[in-house]
Amino acid sequence: MSIPDNELSPSDATRRRFLLGAGLLGAGAAASVLANPSVAAASGLPHAHGPSGGGTAKGGFIFLAGDHHIHTQYSSDAQYRVLDQAQKGQAYGLDWLVITDHGSAAHAKIGVEKVNPDIVKTREELKGLLTFQGLEWNIPAAEHATVFVTPSKNEVEVLKQFENAYDGTFAPATNTAAQNEALAIAGIKFLGEQVKKRKIDGALFFANHPSRRGIDSPHEIRGWRDADPTVAVGFEGAPGHQAAGIPAPNGRGGARGYYDNNPSAASFPLYPLETYRTWGGFDWMTSTVGGLWDSLLAEGKAWWITVNSDSHVNYLDQTDRGPGSDFNADGKYNDPVYTGTVNTQAGDFWPGFYGRTNVGASSFSYKAVVDGLRAGRVWVDHGRLIKGLDAQVRVAGDRRSHTGTPLGGVLRVKRGTSTELTLEIDLQDVPNWAGFIPVLKRVDVIAGTVTGPVADRDAFTTPNTKVVKSFEISKTSGKVSLTYRLGRLDKPFYLRLRGTDGNRTQPGLLGAAVDPYGPQLDVAGAADPWGDLWFYTNPIWVLPR
């Protein structure tokens, strides 16, 4: 990066633009956009074209909808074939998904290898769907995480080696918490090393349902990120299991995401009780303006959010595990069979039915999805609240198509330069999978000062982040174009966006001055996921150069 663009050969200039766009240039050990702004993606990739019938072109990228947390008959608490999940995911509008069966003794011994032919077959049969292989890692000393790799001849070998060496299931019972935390760090570093050795093209880690049991402490999250920021890139902004909130008698009348826990001896003791519940279906770490996610972003840490299904057994399905199954012996259940009984007590939706993670990719390919996730070019929604979104930060008045900085990106300008946010939203005009057309009512701009590394790595609030602008949306069809002037740059900051159907709001946990109309706490038994829809984006930073 010390060599000016005009001194590069044409081929090197093209390569630099690609690496910047993918969020890869110089990203190896940097944990902060302050130290290395190219950790988060800069704009500059040309317009890409997606697969037939898939992807939405926005801001020079195609946005591909996906789900990184899905279980099959190779998980001890699930039942479906890989092809079942993949076909349904594609039918419900997904472009990519990840099979993440539970890490366990049976899975490590035979499951990783046995599921792979099913995944390979699915890739062959569903050419318009990118099907990754991964697993749900039992993080030593913490909760679960999605770990997945790009397809290659080494994908099984790498995942199998990782699971056997680093899964919490196999950690010695005599380990201290510190030893288990170190084991988790070593596991993340191992994945990064496999990429450097070119065994695989890419590997990613997302912490799953991080607040469900309160055991993912702030310093652990920071430690994962810092271990290798090309691998550990984020957490679920909203958990799966959203159907668990459908009220009785039509559903189980439980808590969205199965967030119905209380603190335990293993929980981080400073988390408030509100940690253990969802807010508008989203995790407390994400939904609290000025909370844990914002404390990471205010440090300049490139840390992203996603949503997914966590599909195990799905709401209104009419199948069950095949008879005569012996999971412990076989590492899988027999293929599901039709029962004729509608399951209203299941807590999950099919992949793509409710939540989706929309990734800005340079092409329809496995590597492009991984690069887009790593770069933070992501917005998420529930219930298909909106159809599409393009958010960019610009030097005020500069509307050239190649100059905007997209989600996950860093805009560096001279101090005193005026900047602005431009936002274009395609409003929903077709029914979602519940049969109604969602209506967007409000969009919030959330902004915070970038203050650099914290002294206390267990910090989970930041005092300078708040909702700085709310747009009331009156249109019900077509496009909405919004502009928000960010003023002259006097100190580094970031912003992120949030939108809602407006059905359930309340002042945020840190007060109305910080968040006047945030999501409401979800109450078990009265948490209909379809009546409370939100979208969230990943951040954009603006820093002085």
Side-chain angles (χ1 to χ4, degrees):
M1 290 303 295
S2 62
I3 302 173
D5 285 356
N6 60 9
E7 294 181 19
L8 294 175
S9 69
S11 62
D12 283 343
T14 299
R15 177 170 171 78
R16 173 179 286 180
R17 286 195 299 271
F18 171 79
L19 292 172
L20 282 169
L24 291 174
L25 190 58
S32 170
V33 300
L34 297 174
N36 189 342
S38 60
V39 171
S43 187
L45 287 179
H47 259 285
H49 300 283
S52 176
T56 302
K58 286 289 181 185
F61 302 100
I62 52 168
F63 276 83
L64 303 175
D67 184 327
H68 70 72
H69 190 173
I70 298 168
H71 296 267
T72 74
Q73 64 196 128
Y74 294 92
S75 286
S76 61
D77 53 357
Q79 69 182 52
Y80 304 113
R81 289 168 291 233
V82 172
L83 189 60
D84 295 335
Q85 295 282 37
Q87 283 182 323
K88 287 292 174 56
Q90 187 175 49
Y92 291 127
L94 296 188
D95 303 296
W96 61 273
L97 51 75
V98 187
I99 302 301
T100 55
D101 290 303
H102 284 291
S104 65
H107 188 260
K109 184 179 179 181
I110 54 178
V112 177
E113 291 166 319
K114 291 185 76 170
V115 73
N116 183 258
D118 293 356
I119 291 174
V120 171
K121 182 180 178 181
T122 297
R123 290 170 182 161
E124 294 170 352
E125 294 198 12
L126 302 179
K127 299 291 189 183
L129 181 74
L130 302 170
T131 305
F132 291 88
Q133 181 168 354
L135 57 86
E136 185 163 24
W137 183 27
N138 298 294
I139 309 172
E143 256 274 12
H144 300 162
T146 286
V147 167
F148 70 101
V149 300
T150 49
S152 77
K153 65 180 181 180
N154 299 313
E155 61 186 331
V156 171
E157 175 191 344
V158 169
L159 288 170
K160 192 175 182 70
Q161 188 176 351
F162 169 80
E163 186 174 10
N164 278 287
Y166 302 106
D167 195 87
T169 303
F170 306 116
T174 56
N175 268 12
T176 64
Q179 287 173 318
N180 281 332
E181 289 180 16
L183 183 62
I185 296 298
I188 291 168
K189 289 183 176 180
F190 166 82
L191 292 169
E193 289 163 2
Q194 304 314 296
V195 178
K196 292 172 186 174
K197 292 176 181 177
R198 299 187 177 180
K199 301 271 304 256
I200 49 177
D201 283 338
L204 290 181
F205 159 107
F206 287 97
N208 294 338
H209 35 74
S211 292
R212 188 175 65 176
R213 295 193 292 142
I215 62 175
D216 289 5
S217 65
H219 74 265
E220 287 177 282
I221 295 171
R222 287 180 166 92
W224 303 333
R225 172 70 179 102
D226 295 348
D228 190 331
T230 69
V231 173
V233 297
F235 53 37
E236 291 180 354
H241 305 308
Q242 293 283 327
I246 296 175
N250 296 322
R252 65 182 294 126
R256 295 172 77 170
Y258 294 135
Y259 272 48
D260 54 4
N261 298 287
N262 293 300
S264 69
S267 302
F268 179 65
L270 299 182
Y271 283 153
L273 290 176
E274 290 87 353
T275 304
Y276 300 87
R277 303 292 179 266
T278 53
W279 295 74
F282 277 73
D283 189 285
W284 163 88
M285 293 183 183
T286 293
S287 60
T288 300
V289 175
L292 194 148
W293 186 32
D294 284 316
S295 76
L296 298 172
L297 302 182
E299 285 191 82
K301 288 186 183 294
W303 190 253
W304 319 124
I305 63 165
T306 61
V307 304
N308 52 73
S309 63
D310 200 354
S311 171
H312 288 70
V313 180
N314 296 321
Y315 181 67
L316 300 185
D317 186 34
Q318 298 183 62
T319 66
D320 203 350
R321 294 168 186 155
S325 297
D326 187 341
F327 185 87
N328 290 332
D330 300 331
K332 64 176 287 191
Y333 291 108
N334 293 335
D335 290 352
V337 295
Y338 176 72
T339 65
T341 300
V342 177
N343 188 344
T344 60
Q345 298 304 297
D348 309 336
F349 290 120
W350 289 103
F353 194 86
Y354 184 71
R356 56 182 179 163
T357 295
N358 303 280
V359 180
S362 59
S363 65
F364 181 74
S365 69
Y366 289 96
K367 187 64 163 54
V369 169
V370 168
D371 290 344
L373 286 166
R374 183 184 294 115
R377 292 191 297 267
V378 172
W379 62 272
V380 302
D381 70 343
H382 280 160
R384 305 246 160 179
L385 175 58
I386 58 175
K387 198 168 186 179
L389 178 151
D390 181 30
Q392 303 203 30
V393 174
R394 307 171 174 277
V395 173
D398 185 353
R399 300 302 176 90
R400 292 174 294 173
S401 61
H402 67 282
T403 58
T405 298
L407 299 176
V410 178
L411 174 62
R412 279 191 173 267
V413 295
K414 291 182 180 179
R415 199 175 297 274
T417 301
S418 293
T419 58
E420 63 185 8
L421 166 72
T422 59
L423 176 62
E424 183 179 272
I425 297 173
D426 295 326
L427 299 176
Q428 193 56 265
D429 59 3
V430 297
N432 59 22
W433 300 113
F436 67 93
I437 299 175
V439 177
L440 180 68
K441 290 296 188 181
R442 195 183 73 250
V443 174
D444 299 320
V445 181
I446 299 163
T449 304
V450 177
T451 53
V454 292
D456 178 7
R457 287 176 66 83
D458 274 325
F460 57 84
T461 60
T462 185
N464 297 315
T465 298
K466 63 180 181 179
V467 175
V468 296
K469 176 67 176 179
S470 290
F471 293 95
E472 300 298 327
I473 308 300
S474 57
K475 291 183 67 175
T476 57
S477 62
K479 296 180 184 291
V480 172
S481 296
L482 306 171
T483 300
Y484 178 62
R485 293 195 172 273
L486 299 163
R488 294 185 180 277
L489 179 65
D490 60 348
K491 52 191 172 184
F493 68 93
Y494 70 92
L495 62 82
R496 60 184 180 90
L497 303 168
R498 179 183 73 185
T500 176
D501 60 7
N503 288 338
R504 297 180 69 246
T505 63
Q506 70 176 61
L509 275 176
L510 299 184
V514 172
D515 184 9
Y517 300 107
Q520 280 191 19
L521 183 147
D522 294 317
V523 178
D528 183 356
W530 296 103
D532 188 15
L533 303 179
W534 296 77
F535 80 74
Y536 285 73
T537 75
N538 276 305
I540 303 171
W541 282 270
V542 182
L543 307 178
R545 64 176 180 225

PDB file of all heavy atoms in Angstrom, residues 171-188:
ATOM      1  N   ALA A 171     -12.095 -31.381  25.026  1.00  0.00           N
ATOM      2  CA  ALA A 171     -11.189 -30.691  25.945  1.00  0.00           C
ATOM      3  C   ALA A 171     -11.092 -31.467  27.259  1.00  0.00           C
ATOM      4  O   ALA A 171     -12.115 -31.946  27.774  1.00  0.00           O
ATOM      5  CB  ALA A 171     -11.679 -29.271  26.208  1.00  0.00           C
ATOM      6  N   PRO A 172      -9.903 -31.623  27.822  1.00  0.00           N
ATOM      7  CA  PRO A 172      -9.766 -32.355  29.085  1.00  0.00           C
ATOM      8  C   PRO A 172     -10.624 -31.747  30.183  1.00  0.00           C
ATOM      9  O   PRO A 172     -10.717 -30.520  30.316  1.00  0.00           O
ATOM     10  CB  PRO A 172      -8.268 -32.213  29.411  1.00  0.00           C
ATOM     11  CG  PRO A 172      -7.613 -31.953  28.093  1.00  0.00           C
ATOM     12  CD  PRO A 172      -8.594 -31.164  27.296  1.00  0.00           C
ATOM     13  N   ALA A 173     -11.263 -32.604  30.963  1.00  0.00           N
ATOM     14  CA  ALA A 173     -12.124 -32.128  32.045  1.00  0.00           C
ATOM     15  C   ALA A 173     -11.346 -31.346  33.088  1.00  0.00           C
ATOM     16  O   ALA A 173     -11.923 -30.560  33.839  1.00  0.00           O
ATOM     17  CB  ALA A 173     -12.826 -33.319  32.700  1.00  0.00           C
ATOM     18  N   THR A 174     -10.044 -31.550  33.140  1.00  0.00           N
ATOM     19  CA  THR A 174      -9.200 -30.855  34.119  1.00  0.00           C
ATOM     20  C   THR A 174      -8.777 -29.464  33.652  1.00  0.00           C
ATOM     21  O   THR A 174      -8.148 -28.727  34.411  1.00  0.00           O
ATOM     22  CB  THR A 174      -7.939 -31.684  34.407  1.00  0.00           C
ATOM     23  OG1 THR A 174      -7.260 -31.946  33.156  1.00  0.00           O
ATOM     24  CG2 THR A 174      -8.305 -33.002  35.076  1.00  0.00           C
ATOM     25  N   ASN A 175      -9.124 -29.096  32.408  1.00  0.00           N
ATOM     26  CA  ASN A 175      -8.730 -27.780  31.904  1.00  0.00           C
ATOM     27  C   ASN A 175      -9.340 -26.662  32.736  1.00  0.00           C
ATOM     28  O   ASN A 175     -10.505 -26.735  33.153  1.00  0.00           O
ATOM     29  CB  ASN A 175      -9.192 -27.597  30.455  1.00  0.00           C
ATOM     30  CG  ASN A 175      -8.138 -28.025  29.456  1.00  0.00           C
ATOM     31  OD1 ASN A 175      -7.147 -28.655  29.818  1.00  0.00           O
ATOM     32  ND2 ASN A 175      -8.358 -27.689  28.193  1.00  0.00           N
ATOM     33  N   THR A 176      -8.568 -25.618  32.946  1.00  0.00           N
ATOM     34  CA  THR A 176      -9.107 -24.401  33.542  1.00  0.00           C
ATOM     35  C   THR A 176      -9.810 -23.594  32.459  1.00  0.00           C
ATOM     36  O   THR A 176      -9.668 -23.864  31.253  1.00  0.00           O
ATOM     37  CB  THR A 176      -7.991 -23.554  34.148  1.00  0.00           C
ATOM     38  OG1 THR A 176      -7.115 -23.111  33.084  1.00  0.00           O
ATOM     39  CG2 THR A 176      -7.190 -24.345  35.178  1.00  0.00           C
ATOM     40  N   ALA A 177     -10.584 -22.582  32.864  1.00  0.00           N
ATOM     41  CA  ALA A 177     -11.241 -21.704  31.888  1.00  0.00           C
ATOM     42  C   ALA A 177     -10.211 -21.048  30.984  1.00  0.00           C
ATOM     43  O   ALA A 177     -10.414 -20.930  29.767  1.00  0.00           O
ATOM     44  CB  ALA A 177     -12.083 -20.656  32.605  1.00  0.00           C
ATOM     45  N   ALA A 178      -9.099 -20.633  31.570  1.00  0.00           N
ATOM     46  CA  ALA A 178      -8.053 -19.978  30.778  1.00  0.00           C
ATOM     47  C   ALA A 178      -7.466 -20.934  29.740  1.00  0.00           C
ATOM     48  O   ALA A 178      -7.178 -20.536  28.605  1.00  0.00           O
ATOM     49  CB  ALA A 178      -6.955 -19.450  31.698  1.00  0.00           C
ATOM     50  N   GLN A 179      -7.298 -22.185  30.114  1.00  0.00           N
ATOM     51  CA  GLN A 179      -6.770 -23.166  29.166  1.00  0.00           C
ATOM     52  C   GLN A 179      -7.750 -23.410  28.030  1.00  0.00           C
ATOM     53  O   GLN A 179      -7.349 -23.539  26.869  1.00  0.00           O
ATOM     54  CB  GLN A 179      -6.451 -24.477  29.897  1.00  0.00           C
ATOM     55  CG  GLN A 179      -5.210 -24.409  30.770  1.00  0.00           C
ATOM     56  CD  GLN A 179      -5.016 -25.667  31.601  1.00  0.00           C
ATOM     57  OE1 GLN A 179      -5.974 -26.210  32.164  1.00  0.00           O
ATOM     58  NE2 GLN A 179      -3.774 -26.129  31.686  1.00  0.00           N
ATOM     59  N   ASN A 180      -9.043 -23.488  28.352  1.00  0.00           N
ATOM     60  CA  ASN A 180     -10.043 -23.673  27.299  1.00  0.00           C
ATOM     61  C   ASN A 180     -10.134 -22.456  26.397  1.00  0.00           C
ATOM     62  O   ASN A 180     -10.304 -22.587  25.176  1.00  0.00           O
ATOM     63  CB  ASN A 180     -11.398 -23.993  27.916  1.00  0.00           C
ATOM     64  CG  ASN A 180     -11.511 -25.442  28.354  1.00  0.00           C
ATOM     65  OD1 ASN A 180     -10.865 -26.316  27.786  1.00  0.00           O
ATOM     66  ND2 ASN A 180     -12.313 -25.699  29.372  1.00  0.00           N
ATOM     67  N   GLU A 181     -10.033 -21.261  26.956  1.00  0.00           N
ATOM     68  CA  GLU A 181     -10.032 -20.060  26.129  1.00  0.00           C
ATOM     69  C   GLU A 181      -8.841 -20.063  25.181  1.00  0.00           C
ATOM     70  O   GLU A 181      -8.953 -19.670  24.017  1.00  0.00           O
ATOM     71  CB  GLU A 181     -10.041 -18.818  27.007  1.00  0.00           C
ATOM     72  CG  GLU A 181     -11.370 -18.589  27.732  1.00  0.00           C
ATOM     73  CD  GLU A 181     -11.372 -17.342  28.608  1.00  0.00           C
ATOM     74  OE1 GLU A 181     -10.475 -16.487  28.429  1.00  0.00           O
ATOM     75  OE2 GLU A 181     -12.269 -17.217  29.455  1.00  0.00           O
ATOM     76  N   ALA A 182      -7.700 -20.504  25.673  1.00  0.00           N
ATOM     77  CA  ALA A 182      -6.504 -20.587  24.823  1.00  0.00           C
ATOM     78  C   ALA A 182      -6.680 -21.624  23.723  1.00  0.00           C
ATOM     79  O   ALA A 182      -6.194 -21.442  22.593  1.00  0.00           O
ATOM     80  CB  ALA A 182      -5.280 -20.918  25.682  1.00  0.00           C
ATOM     81  N   LEU A 183      -7.385 -22.723  24.038  1.00  0.00           N
ATOM     82  CA  LEU A 183      -7.650 -23.753  23.035  1.00  0.00           C
ATOM     83  C   LEU A 183      -8.524 -23.200  21.915  1.00  0.00           C
ATOM     84  O   LEU A 183      -8.311 -23.508  20.733  1.00  0.00           O
ATOM     85  CB  LEU A 183      -8.317 -24.954  23.698  1.00  0.00           C
ATOM     86  CG  LEU A 183      -8.604 -26.166  22.808  1.00  0.00           C
ATOM     87  CD1 LEU A 183      -7.304 -26.748  22.258  1.00  0.00           C
ATOM     88  CD2 LEU A 183      -9.381 -27.232  23.588  1.00  0.00           C
ATOM     89  N   ALA A 184      -9.511 -22.370  22.272  1.00  0.00           N
ATOM     90  CA  ALA A 184     -10.361 -21.747  21.248  1.00  0.00           C
ATOM     91  C   ALA A 184      -9.541 -20.834  20.339  1.00  0.00           C
ATOM     92  O   ALA A 184      -9.711 -20.841  19.106  1.00  0.00           O
ATOM     93  CB  ALA A 184     -11.483 -20.956  21.923  1.00  0.00           C
ATOM     94  N   ILE A 185      -8.655 -20.060  20.922  1.00  0.00           N
ATOM     95  CA  ILE A 185      -7.785 -19.179  20.133  1.00  0.00           C
ATOM     96  C   ILE A 185      -6.923 -20.011  19.180  1.00  0.00           C
ATOM     97  O   ILE A 185      -6.757 -19.674  18.004  1.00  0.00           O
ATOM     98  CB  ILE A 185      -6.893 -18.338  21.066  1.00  0.00           C
ATOM     99  CG1 ILE A 185      -7.743 -17.403  21.931  1.00  0.00           C
ATOM    100  CG2 ILE A 185      -5.857 -17.558  20.267  1.00  0.00           C
ATOM    101  CD1 ILE A 185      -8.537 -16.387  21.181  1.00  0.00           C
ATOM    102  N   ALA A 186      -6.384 -21.109  19.695  1.00  0.00           N
ATOM    103  CA  ALA A 186      -5.538 -21.973  18.867  1.00  0.00           C
ATOM    104  C   ALA A 186      -6.323 -22.559  17.701  1.00  0.00           C
ATOM    105  O   ALA A 186      -5.796 -22.704  16.587  1.00  0.00           O
ATOM    106  CB  ALA A 186      -4.931 -23.081  19.720  1.00  0.00           C
ATOM    107  N   GLY A 187      -7.606 -22.895  17.934  1.00  0.00           N
ATOM    108  CA  GLY A 187      -8.433 -23.434  16.864  1.00  0.00           C
ATOM    109  C   GLY A 187      -8.642 -22.443  15.739  1.00  0.00           C
ATOM    110  O   GLY A 187      -8.572 -22.796  14.552  1.00  0.00           O
ATOM    111  N   ILE A 188      -8.904 -21.199  16.093  1.00  0.00           N
ATOM    112  CA  ILE A 188      -9.086 -20.158  15.074  1.00  0.00           C
ATOM    113  C   ILE A 188      -7.794 -19.943  14.295  1.00  0.00           C
ATOM    114  O   ILE A 188      -7.798 -19.814  13.063  1.00  0.00           O
ATOM    115  CB  ILE A 188      -9.573 -18.857  15.740  1.00  0.00           C
ATOM    116  CG1 ILE A 188     -11.007 -19.055  16.260  1.00  0.00           C
ATOM    117  CG2 ILE A 188      -9.493 -17.676  14.773  1.00  0.00           C
ATOM    118  CD1 ILE A 188     -11.496 -17.967  17.181  1.00  0.00           C
TER     119      ILE A 188
END
